[in-house]
Amino acid sequence: MRWGTVMVASGCGGTGRELAPYADLDGLDLVTRSITLDPRAGGPTPRIAETPSGLVHAVGHQNPGLEHFLATELPWLVRAGVRVHVSVVGATIGEYAELARRLSRAPGVAGLEVNLGAPDQAGEGLFEVREPYHAASVVAAVRREFPADRPVLAKLRPDLSRAVEGARAVHDAGASGVVLGDAVPAAMPDGRPGGLTGPAITPVALRCVHEVTSALPDVEVVGGGGVDGPRTARAFLAAGAVGVQVGTALLHDPTTVARIRAALTDDHVDDTAGDTADDREDHR
Ligand SMILES: Cc1cc2nc3c(=O)[nH]c(=O)nc-3n(C[C@H](O)[C@H](O)[C@H](O)COP(=O)(O)O)c2cc1C
């Protein structure tokens, strides 16, 4: 992955159309909401609650299912020039593999993101990734079905105590990189299980990124969790991430990705002002 890549985090860019008035979609790296084989209606409302420094959400992986996604959402995104990374989640390892197999044939899929953070304790009926070897088994099954020249990112659950172990396991299983900074397990105000996102989780996510990049310098890490502008994006990059994902901030300000991209491009131009072409490569 190119250094400084800024991606729309899964579930936070809608179908992509919602972002069109605010961002140049051409060349935008967008991770779709997690797609399952069959449609899912999602959890009961309300699904989002504000907290002092973030959101708690309990969307329940609402999505139209693979067939509908392939027939309607994907072609629109591809026509708009979006680099589409499809997030996949399944009830079994077989379902993950089936999603990868069918998406490998769909024109315009730039890569996959394997959602390994789906909490079964939320009663979602999805494959529960409790141990690093569960994550590795899913990634290996997906990797077998998806062309080697296209990336498969593994999005790990935000478990600081297992971050390095998890990253090593999925890397060895063939993941092109890991995404760190998924929602932290939390509760909705009425006690339903949910995920905490936004600025509240940045310090935890940064720590995960630091630990993984220090222990496993060969593993590409994409960091996320409360990225809301150039300053937080730079903090993740300084921690060793190669790119960042932006989620919750888009709900307040849909231009956030464009702003961060512009700022990082300016940084790069400043940094490399007097460099030769070879020097510029070294900055990446
Ligand atoms: C409303 C909402 C829906 C989300 N849906 C998904 C999803 O379908 N799949 C997934 O892997 N992550 C999902 N996430 C998690 C985000 O992709 C991201 O990892 C998390 O929100 C942390 O980043 P942030 O603090 O920038 O939001 C969702 C987050 C929110 C707020």
Side-chain angles (χ1 to χ4, degrees):
M1 176 180 293
R2 198 170 31 81
W3 185 88
T5 298
V6 185
M7 309 174 88
V8 174
S10 176
C12 299
T15 61
R17 289 175 205 243
E18 294 84 345
L19 285 179
Y22 309 99
D24 184 3
L25 297 187
D26 196 15
L28 180 72
D29 284 280
L30 179 137
V31 185
T32 68
R33 61 192 150 157
S34 294
I35 302 293
T36 46
L37 272 182
D38 297 322
R40 285 174 64 97
T45 56
R47 292 175 173 173
I48 292 187
E50 279 205 57
T51 73
S53 58
L55 296 177
V56 189
H57 72 276
V59 176
H61 290 95
Q62 179 195 357
N63 80 92
L66 182 65
E67 279 308 318
H68 188 273
F69 170 78
L70 290 175
T72 59
E73 294 183 23
L74 180 64
W76 187 89
L77 289 165
V78 173
R79 273 198 303 278
V82 174
R83 285 176 47 78
V84 186
H85 307 261
V86 183
S87 170
V88 290
V89 69
T92 61
I93 294 179
E95 268 191 31
Y96 276 100
E98 174 72 2
L99 284 156
R101 190 174 63 76
R102 289 169 59 184
L103 284 160
S104 72
R105 301 196 206 114
V109 175
L112 298 185
E113 183 178 276
V114 186
N115 180 347
L116 299 165
D120 200 31
Q121 48 277 47
E124 294 194 3
L126 296 168
F127 185 74
E128 190 179 354
V129 179
R130 263 174 288 117
E131 299 292 330
Y133 75 84
H134 293 139
S137 306
V138 173
V139 168
V142 166
R143 190 68 282 186
R144 267 196 299 278
E145 299 293 344
F146 201 68
D149 61 349
R150 282 187 275 163
V152 170
L153 295 174
K155 186 175 186 182
L156 297 178
R157 60 194 302 175
D159 181 352
L160 184 57
S161 65
R162 312 294 291 272
V164 172
E165 212 184 330
R168 184 182 289 119
V170 294
H171 177 70
D172 291 350
S176 321
V178 300
V179 179
L180 292 168
D182 202 349
V184 170
M188 297 288 279
D190 61 8
R192 278 177 294 144
L196 178 64
T197 65
I201 69 170
T202 303
V204 179
L206 264 178
R207 168 88 183 259
C208 284
V209 171
H210 257 297
E211 296 216 346
V212 171
T213 57
S214 309
L216 307 170
D218 293 341
V219 175
E220 282 201 351
V221 172
V222 179
V227 176
D228 57 1
R231 198 174 52 84
T232 29
R234 288 186 190 109
F236 278 100
L237 296 171
V242 63
V244 293
Q245 293 193 346
V246 182
T248 302
L250 289 170
L251 308 183
H252 303 291
D253 178 1
T255 68
T256 309
V257 168
R259 280 194 296 113
I260 298 173
R261 284 173 105 192
L264 295 182
T265 306
D266 286 351
D267 288 355
H268 189 65
V269 170
D270 290 349
D271 284 357
T272 60
D275 289 356
T276 63
D278 283 350
D279 292 335
R280 279 194 289 279
E281 266 308 300
D282 292 342
H283 282 268
R284 292 176 181 276

